[in-house]
Amino acid sequence: MVLGDRDSGHGQFGPDLLAMGRRLRAPGLRQALDEQHASTGGQFVVAEVGGPGGHPARGIQSTALLVLAARGEIDFTTFLFANVGDDSEHPATLAYIREVAEPYAVNAGLDLHQLRRTRRDGTTETLMERLTRPEIRSIPIPVRMANGAPGRRSCTSDFKIKVVGRWLRQHGASADSPAAVGIGISVDEIHRANRRRSEPHEQIEYPLLDLRLRREDCEQIITDAGLPVPPKSSCFFCPFRTVDAWRQQRQEDPELFAQAVALEKVVNGRRAALGRDAVYLTRYGRPLEEAVPAQRKTPPEEAEDSGCDSGWCMT
């Protein structure tokens, strides 16, 4: 995600570096950035990062945006990472941002900020905290029904889009002076570009599409910069994860897998108390432990689930 304004621009990394960029044209934001970054010639750019993705932490595409900005090939200087919670983001995403993206941004003279959802009383809230609050009746993540169909979700809106939007408005973006937002969507996933709803305070841009770059091009850009290619970004319990991703988590990070299993049980315990049917974290209509056995019993999967296409997650 990228957010910023050189000529105006900003965005968000997504927990990943979000793969979004925003070029800020709002005078208030520009003034604040000019004061904070006088040495950059009065130009401020923000990118949204989603974590190893979204991100440098957000994903491959957003990390490529960070490198392109460092090389001066796109006009972004500030990157935002909407962190849905250290207890919710995949640890690999957080590690990539901390150990790779942030140091790289500092060395390149770019700004990378982590944003968190903040309540009116000033306290922060994580996605995991919301999911496990006893009084919450609706589930913010796209859990799967028995037929495999995903339910409605509010996680992306509440913990990423609104968080970044609030930051932008606080820094001067408005419907009258919208920020240009650069999103990290590459040519091979161009179908996702026209599904990204624009907010009144932003104007969406797709720098990777403008440069005709594909995912493999983004990987090459990252490796040419001497950086490791980031892992895919998403919450470790996201129902849009593929079965292969779940299987890898069970084999390589059993403690994290156990946390996802426990979360699914908590959600279904609450639903049972309300007289509602069970829901699941995979599309197979079975508890996670059964759907993702320790030994492979289902064919390998290549593609990601197509359910999440907003550009804020798994980029």
Side-chain angles (χ1 to χ4, degrees):
M1 309 107 209
V2 178
L3 192 248
D5 162 298
R6 278 208 164 186
D7 273 344
S8 52
H10 52 254
Q12 163 192 342
F13 291 35
D16 349 8
L17 272 179
L18 250 213
M20 298 185 139
R22 305 175 186 236
R23 177 169 303 170
L24 303 177
R25 296 191 177 92
L29 176 55
R30 175 171 296 171
Q31 179 179 356
L33 294 177
D34 286 351
E35 293 175 354
Q36 182 179 359
H37 305 281
S39 63
T40 65
Q43 296 179 321
F44 182 82
V45 178
V46 178
E48 298 179 1
V49 180
H55 15 314
R58 170 138 187 116
I60 291 174
Q61 284 88 343
S62 55
T63 303
L65 288 181
L66 187 70
V67 175
L68 290 171
R71 295 188 338 201
E73 296 180 31
I74 60 173
D75 204 17
F76 297 101
T77 58
T78 300
F79 290 76
L80 305 179
F81 168 41
N83 184 345
V84 305
D86 290 353
D87 58 356
S88 308
E89 296 282 359
H90 196 289
T93 292
L94 298 175
Y96 192 90
I97 289 181
R98 181 178 62 252
E99 299 170 10
V100 178
E102 288 181 339
Y104 181 79
V106 169
N107 289 337
L110 303 173
D111 292 313
L112 197 170
H113 301 282
Q114 287 201 41
L115 309 181
R116 300 175 186 273
R117 177 176 172 79
T118 305
R119 301 184 183 94
R120 292 182 179 179
D121 63 3
T123 60
T124 59
E125 178 187 29
T126 72
L127 180 54
M128 179 65 82
E129 288 174 345
R130 178 177 295 188
L131 282 166
T132 54
R133 279 167 52 189
E135 69 274 18
I136 295 298
R137 297 173 66 89
S138 61
I139 305 173
I141 62 175
V143 288
R144 303 288 186 153
M145 305 298 108
N147 64 0
R152 298 179 62 181
R153 62 186 168 118
S154 60
C155 49
T156 300
S157 174
D158 290 350
F159 288 85
K160 291 185 180 294
I161 296 175
K162 290 181 180 179
V163 170
V164 171
R166 181 179 182 181
W167 189 94
L168 292 177
R169 293 191 300 273
Q170 288 175 340
H171 289 79
S174 67
D176 293 331
S177 295
V181 178
I183 300 179
I185 289 179
S186 51
V187 172
D188 47 299
E189 52 181 19
I190 192 172
H191 61 281
R192 299 171 64 188
N194 62 359
R195 300 182 184 180
R196 170 69 165 84
R197 181 170 62 86
S198 178
E199 301 295 327
H201 54 266
E202 65 184 15
Q203 291 182 346
I204 303 301
E205 298 182 5
Y206 298 98
L208 300 179
L209 297 184
D210 293 340
L211 295 172
R212 302 175 185 271
L213 296 175
R214 303 182 65 84
R215 184 183 184 90
E216 55 265 32
D217 299 320
C218 293
E219 292 180 353
Q220 189 63 53
I221 288 170
I222 294 167
T223 56
D224 286 349
L227 303 178
V229 174
K232 291 183 180 180
S233 163
S234 70
C235 295
F236 72 86
F237 48 78
C238 181
F240 284 142
R241 294 169 64 84
T242 64
V243 172
D244 274 355
W246 280 118
R247 184 179 295 111
Q248 181 179 11
Q249 185 180 103
R250 179 162 194 171
Q251 294 174 347
E252 299 180 4
D253 200 336
E255 292 185 4
L256 204 62
F257 184 82
Q259 291 181 46
V261 169
L263 174 62
E264 186 182 66
K265 291 179 179 178
V266 168
V267 168
N268 279 323
R270 185 181 308 153
R271 288 180 64 84
L274 296 172
R276 298 176 181 174
D277 294 337
V279 292
Y280 308 99
L281 294 181
T282 74
R283 61 175 178 266
Y284 290 110
R286 304 196 302 275
L288 185 58
E289 284 183 304
E290 298 177 16
V292 185
Q295 300 298 321
R296 181 189 297 275
K297 293 183 180 180
T298 56
E301 298 181 1
E302 295 288 335
E304 277 190 84
D305 194 301
S306 61
C308 187
D309 56 14
S310 67
W312 289 80
C313 296
M314 298 175 287
T315 56

